[in-house]
Amino acid sequence: AQSVTQPDIHITVSEGASLELRCNYSYGATPYLFWYVQSPGQGLQLLLKYFSGDTLVQGIKGFEAEFKRSQSSFNLRKPSVHWSDAAEYFCAVGGVWGTASKLTFGTGTRLQVTL
Amino acid sequence: DTGVSQDPRHKITKRGQNVTFRCDPISEHNRLYWYRQTLGQGPEFLTYFQNEAQLEKSRLLSDRFSAERPKGSFSTLEIQRTEQGDSAMYLCASSSPLVRMAEQFFGPGTRLTVL
């Protein structure tokens, strides 16, 4: 069964500092990987996705993620965090199960940004 | 705004009552998903429709839960004889048939509180 682990429940960084959120996945084939962000009262918004090809993917809001098959990881990074980045971040893995394309999410990492 | 919409946004009910939630997907999307998110957890897949056909149901979807998408457009999720454990955020998402492993666009969710 597919699964996602986000080992950090809560991370605090200073505005302007760099950020890395960790994600490890378990999937029996080539994974489809996603990072979503959820702000209070808002729906989940896709930051970036990886299907194949270049292992470094660029997303919205200055985020990027690197797929490392050998480590089963898909960590999210941002070189300089803004106060508006404070939110909950979810890593997800998708695959085709029968005719479904459901996503399996991690438990999330809550990012707090100090000024 | 042509995003995914959900109604109601909040629902408070007493244990044992029935509740129904509605999801309106993005108009050209033929795939529709329901997820449940409890406090401190990532979303968990409940069920998936392609057009009006319900193609997969999670074991989380007990007999008290039923979902429909009668005309392949909006969908409803009904919970009968609600229990306190049903308290959660219920998320709806939709995706396009034109893109392989397409991004799922999420609605704002319906927050259910069972007293």
Side-chain angles (χ1 to χ4, degrees):
Chain A
Q2 58 193 42
S3 66
V4 174
T5 301
Q6 293 182 248
D8 304 305
I9 297 173
H10 187 196
I11 283 182
T12 300
V13 299
S14 300
E15 189 176 38
S18 64
L19 171 71
E20 183 169 26
L21 301 182
R22 295 183 290 166
C23 171
N24 292 96
Y25 68 90
S26 174
Y27 189 68
T30 301
Y32 299 89
L33 295 161
F34 306 81
W35 274 100
Y36 281 86
V37 60
Q38 187 176 40
S39 299
Q42 304 295 316
L44 289 157
Q45 181 183 21
L46 181 70
L47 289 175
L48 47 78
K49 58 187 177 183
Y50 171 79
F51 295 160
S52 64
D54 192 348
T55 57
L56 184 64
V57 294
Q58 303 296 321
I60 63 171
K61 304 185 179 186
F63 286 93
E64 66 178 27
E66 186 171 12
F67 171 65
K68 293 185 177 180
R69 183 185 298 275
S70 62
Q71 298 176 20
S72 298
S73 69
F74 188 57
N75 294 347
L76 182 71
R77 300 194 295 247
K78 187 170 185 178
S80 177
V81 169
H82 188 263
W83 64 266
S84 60
D85 293 325
E88 186 105 28
Y89 291 79
F90 293 95
C91 181
V93 62
V96 178
W97 291 66
T99 53
S101 303
K102 65 183 181 184
L103 298 177
T104 298
F105 288 84
T107 51
T109 297
R110 178 165 298 280
L111 173 65
Q112 183 177 356
V113 180
T114 58
L115 301 177
Chain B
D1 184 24
T2 57
V4 178
S5 61
Q6 293 187 246
D7 184 69
R9 294 290 303 273
H10 302 274
K11 179 71 176 179
I12 299 174
T13 190
K14 294 182 179 179
R15 189 178 55 183
Q17 297 295 304
N18 299 343
V19 295
T20 300
F21 310 141
R22 176 179 171 128
C23 171
D24 286 89
I26 294 171
S27 59
E28 64 268 24
H29 287 183
N30 75 335
R31 296 175 184 162
L32 186 147
Y33 310 80
W34 285 98
Y35 292 83
R36 182 177 70 184
Q37 185 178 19
T38 54
L39 201 61
Q41 299 295 318
E44 297 172 291
F45 171 80
L46 292 177
T47 191
Y48 157 68
F49 290 85
Q50 181 159 300
N51 300 312
E52 65 276 8
Q54 188 174 18
L55 297 183
E56 186 174 347
K57 294 193 295 185
S58 163
R59 57 179 174 79
L60 295 175
L61 217 64
S62 74
D63 292 344
R64 297 184 296 106
F65 288 70
S66 62
E68 294 183 343
R69 195 182 182 198
K71 298 183 180 179
S73 56
F74 73 91
S75 175
T76 58
L77 178 67
E78 181 183 15
I79 308 175
Q80 296 181 329
R81 305 180 303 281
T82 52
E83 302 173 356
Q84 288 185 326
D86 298 331
S87 295
M89 177 77 82
Y90 290 84
L91 297 168
C92 176
S94 68
S95 68
S96 167
L98 302 177
V99 180
R100 185 186 178 197
M101 199 55 206
E103 170 187 355
Q104 294 182 22
F105 291 82
F106 283 81
T110 294
R111 181 168 295 283
L112 173 66
T113 302
V114 182
L115 302 176

